Each structure stands twice: as C-alpha cells, then as structure tokens.
Amino acid sequence: MRTLSHKTADWVKNGLISEPQAQGIIAFEKNRKSIFSLFSVILFLGFFSVVIGIIAVVSSNWFLISNEMKIAGLFVFLIGAALVLAHVREKHPVGFEGGLFFYMLLLFAAIGLVGQVYHLKSDTYKAFLFWSALAFPLLFLTRKVFQGFIWEIIFIAAFSCSPWGKEFWEFFFETFSSLLMLSFFAMVLFFVLLRFKTAPVFIVPLRTMAAYFTLFCLMFDEYDYSFFVYDTVSGPILFLMIAAGFAAYVWKYAPFGRSEKQAVLGITGLYVLFYLCPAFKSVNYFFQLIILIGFVFTAYRFGSEKMARLLAVVTAFRMLIAFFSLFGTLLYTGVGLIVSGLVILGIAYACWKTESYLKLNTAGKGKSDE
C-alpha cells in the first residue's frame, strides 16, 4: 500500500489525476478483498488440516476398505467438489479459480485410484492423455491463463511421448530440419495468434510458448542452418513459400497498423536473407543480433514497451555470451574483469540510449499511422 501511495502521489504531481481521485484509489485498494487476507489464510489452513486428517485416516485403513467403497467414495467426492465449485463460481471467483486448479489435480488422483483398484497397467503417457481429455472441458470455466499453461504443457509432453507424437515430431524435424526455419515458423505462429481475442486460455499459452521457441532456436549455437546445406530443393522451396504466404497475409489480412506491418515484414525479410546467406559463424552471429534488434523495434511498433525491454536484455546477453566465448580464460584475470565490466556498462548505456530513441520516435510513429 505504501508503494501505491507513492505512485498516486507521483501521478497527482504530474497532473494525471487529482488528489480526491488518488484518495479514492487508495481507499478502493484497501477495501478490496485479497486472496492473501488474514481470513483467507486461516480458512485455507483449516480446510488443509481437515483434508490432511481425512487422508491420514483413510490411508491408515486403506486395506480395510473394499474396492467398491473406494470407487463410490471417489465419485461422491468428485460430484461434491463439483457442486461446491458451481456454488462459489460467481460469489467467490478467486476461490473458484483455486478450487478448479485443485479439482484438475484431483482428476490425476482419480485416474491413479481406478488403476490401482482394477490393477490396470498402462504407459504413463496414456494416463496423461486421458487426464487431458477429462480436464479439457474445465478450461472453458476458468478465466486464468495459468490453467491453460498447465494443460497445454502436460498435453504436449504426453503427446510427444506417445508413438503418434514421436512419428509426428520425426516427420516435422525431418521436414524442417533447420533451426532457423523452426524459429521462423514459431514467429509466424506468434504473429498469427497475436491479435486473437477469443479463447485466451488456449491462445495466450500457445502464443507465449511460440515466442520463447522463436528466441531459443534463433540463439542456438549451431551454425549449420542455411540454404546451402540442403542436398534437395524441397526444404528451401517450402521455407520460401511459407515466407511469401506469411508476408501476403500480413500485408493484406493481418489486423495490424501500417507501421506494425512494416516491422513484421522487415523481420520476415531478415529471416529470408539470413537463410540465403552462407553458413559462416561470424555472418550468422551478425544476423542473429540484427534479427534480435529487429524484434526490439517491432515490439515498440506494437506498443509493448515491456516486451521491448525484455528483448533488449536478451540481445545484450547474446552479445555477452559471444564476448565471453571470444576471450575465454582471459576474463578470469584482473584486466579481463575490468574489460568485462566496461563492456557490460557499455551495453547498458547503449540499451538506455536506444530505449529513449525508440520511445520518442518509433512508438510515436507507430501510433500516428494506425
């Protein structure tokens, strides 16, 4: 609350809000119920103690309970928990979200119990895929993308471990064997999903994972991805066709402003140019930095200052990694540490100046031509 007071005082000082508005904001935040209030913490401890006690009593008498009672008790508990969640959904949305998360975990226990009672032997991936099918309808009830992250990660991991998943990924990586191609396709997926407002529980996790995969493949220390490493023309032709199709989609159909489209098309052009260049370490490192800096500009074009800062930090770390790799053991000497510190300070200064320029110019142009 002290931080909020300082922020509102700064807003009043800069004329963004009035003093009565600042007092109203502080009063609203003080009266708003929090999930970490004293009442909620004590309530959680009480329920947690009761649940642990029930588990202890049941586990100590587990072998005395018949299989029919175990299954009946399981379904009674699942139905009861579902009724409680339905009752608190509108009245206590925070509690509903937490309860829904634990209900999804409870499905894991239900699958394990049924397997134990009936002595079912199965591969682990089948249990997780079955859980994914059971938990999928619950995602339509939540408003938190955190639940979507959990479901998608578990589903993708289970599918990847299955025979169908292994065949799919083998075909995928054989077809798109270049890390640069994988980075580009992940970027395409990110920008296609960027302006989707429907089903955020599914879209946001997928879009976020695509963004991380884009950077990971781009910065990977393998320099054998290029047009010139292919024995056949199918891979390069496929890459260029997808790049051309994506460029046409961005220019004609994507719900982006003009400056945003220019930034995305510029990044696409850099990927194509990178792909057509010979695979030399120095050239590839240069293009990696150029594309990363292009992502920084693109983030500002889309009005995402936080993302631009994060990408600037990623670019700076990529430069530091190259610097450390170049000088090696010399960095452990006193002179090496001094030089390293000066390089880090230089990168910090460059990021600060670049951010100021982008904030004053690039972001402003992006808004003016929408």
Side-chain angles (χ1 to χ4, degrees), residues 67-83 103 106-107 110 113-114 118 134:
N67 291 337
E68 293 77 9
M69 287 295 298
K70 292 176 182 177
I71 298 299
L74 168 65
F75 281 99
V76 169
F77 188 76
L78 288 174
I79 295 173
L83 293 176
Y103 193 85
L106 183 62
L107 294 177
L113 178 60
V114 172
Y118 293 101
L134 292 177

Side-chain angles (χ1 to χ4, degrees), residues 168-187:
F168 170 79
W169 289 118
E170 287 177 1
F171 169 79
F172 182 81
F173 286 111
E174 285 177 1
T175 306
F176 310 115
S177 56
S178 166
L179 288 172
L180 184 68
M181 292 175 67
L182 295 177
S183 176
F184 176 73
F185 296 153
M187 184 205 72

Side-chain angles (χ1 to χ4, degrees), residues 74 77-78 81 101-111 131:
L74 168 65
F77 188 76
L78 288 174
F101 171 73
F102 285 105
Y103 193 85
M104 294 172 69
L105 296 181
L106 183 62
L107 294 177
F108 274 118
I111 294 173
W131 174 88

Side-chain angles (χ1 to χ4, degrees), residues 24-326:
I25 293 173
I26 295 175
F28 174 77
E29 290 295 330
K30 284 183 178 180
N31 295 327
R32 189 170 64 172
K33 294 182 180 180
S34 173
I35 189 174
F36 295 109
S37 64
L38 179 60
F39 170 76
S40 62
V41 171
I42 295 176
L43 185 65
F44 170 78
L45 291 176
F47 277 112
F48 184 74
S49 178
V50 171
V51 171
I52 293 298
I54 294 174
I55 293 175
V57 172
V58 172
S59 61
S60 62
N61 298 278
W62 184 251
F63 294 102
L64 301 178
I65 304 174
S66 64
N67 291 337
E68 293 77 9
M69 287 295 298
K70 292 176 182 177
I71 298 299
L74 168 65
F75 281 99
V76 169
F77 188 76
L78 288 174
I79 295 173
L83 293 176
V84 172
L85 288 176
H87 179 71
V88 303
R89 183 182 182 186
E90 299 298 334
K91 297 180 179 179
H92 306 283
V94 176
F96 171 78
E97 294 293 343
L100 188 64
F101 171 73
F102 285 105
Y103 193 85
M104 294 172 69
L105 296 181
L106 183 62
L107 294 177
F108 274 118
I111 294 173
L113 178 60
V114 172
Q116 182 193 49
V117 169
Y118 293 101
H119 304 287
L120 301 177
K121 293 183 179 180
S122 177
D123 295 322
T124 304
Y125 76 87
K126 293 182 180 178
F128 281 100
L129 286 177
F130 185 53
W131 174 88
S132 300
L134 292 177
F136 181 76
L138 300 179
L139 296 178
F140 293 94
L141 303 177
T142 182
R143 300 176 182 175
K144 301 294 183 181
V145 296
F146 174 74
Q147 319 270 26
F149 272 103
I150 295 176
W151 186 90
E152 288 191 9
I153 291 173
I154 293 177
F155 172 75
I156 292 174
F159 175 76
S160 300
C161 294
S162 67
W164 321 289
K166 291 178 181 178
E167 292 179 1
F168 170 79
W169 289 118
E170 287 177 1
F171 169 79
F172 182 81
F173 286 111
E174 285 177 1
T175 306
F176 310 115
S177 56
S178 166
L179 288 172
L180 184 68
M181 292 175 67
L182 295 177
S183 176
F184 176 73
F185 296 153
M187 184 205 72
V188 169
L189 178 62
F190 172 81
F191 280 110
V192 169
L193 298 176
L194 185 60
R195 291 294 167 84
F196 272 78
K197 301 300 182 181
T198 58
V201 175
F202 301 98
I203 297 299
V204 173
L206 186 61
R207 187 174 64 204
T208 304
M209 287 188 285
Y212 283 119
F213 196 70
T214 299
L215 297 177
F216 175 78
C217 292
L218 180 64
M219 297 176 62
F220 205 81
D221 279 334
E222 292 289 341
Y223 296 93
D224 58 348
Y225 43 45
S226 175
F227 174 85
F228 297 93
V229 303
Y230 288 93
D231 297 328
T232 62
V233 297
S234 58
I237 290 177
L238 180 61
F239 174 82
L240 295 177
M241 288 178 60
I242 294 177
F246 177 65
Y249 162 77
V250 170
W251 188 250
K252 291 187 177 181
Y253 304 107
F256 302 148
R258 183 177 179 181
S259 64
E260 296 172 344
K261 291 182 178 181
Q262 291 173 348
V264 176
L265 291 176
I267 292 291
T268 303
L270 288 175
Y271 267 100
V272 174
L273 187 61
F274 189 1
Y275 187 71
L276 296 177
C277 281
F280 298 120
K281 184 173 182 178
S282 58
V283 174
N284 289 355
Y285 170 69
F286 170 76
F287 269 109
Q288 284 179 8
L289 290 183
I290 295 298
I291 292 177
L292 287 173
I293 294 172
F295 279 137
V296 176
F297 276 82
T298 303
Y300 267 100
R301 289 288 187 182
F302 279 83
S304 180
E305 184 177 341
K306 291 183 179 179
M307 179 59 68
R309 291 177 179 177
L310 177 61
L311 291 170
V313 171
V314 172
T315 306
F317 271 107
R318 184 65 187 93
M319 296 172 66
L320 285 176
I321 291 172
F323 175 77
F324 293 153
S325 301
L326 177 64

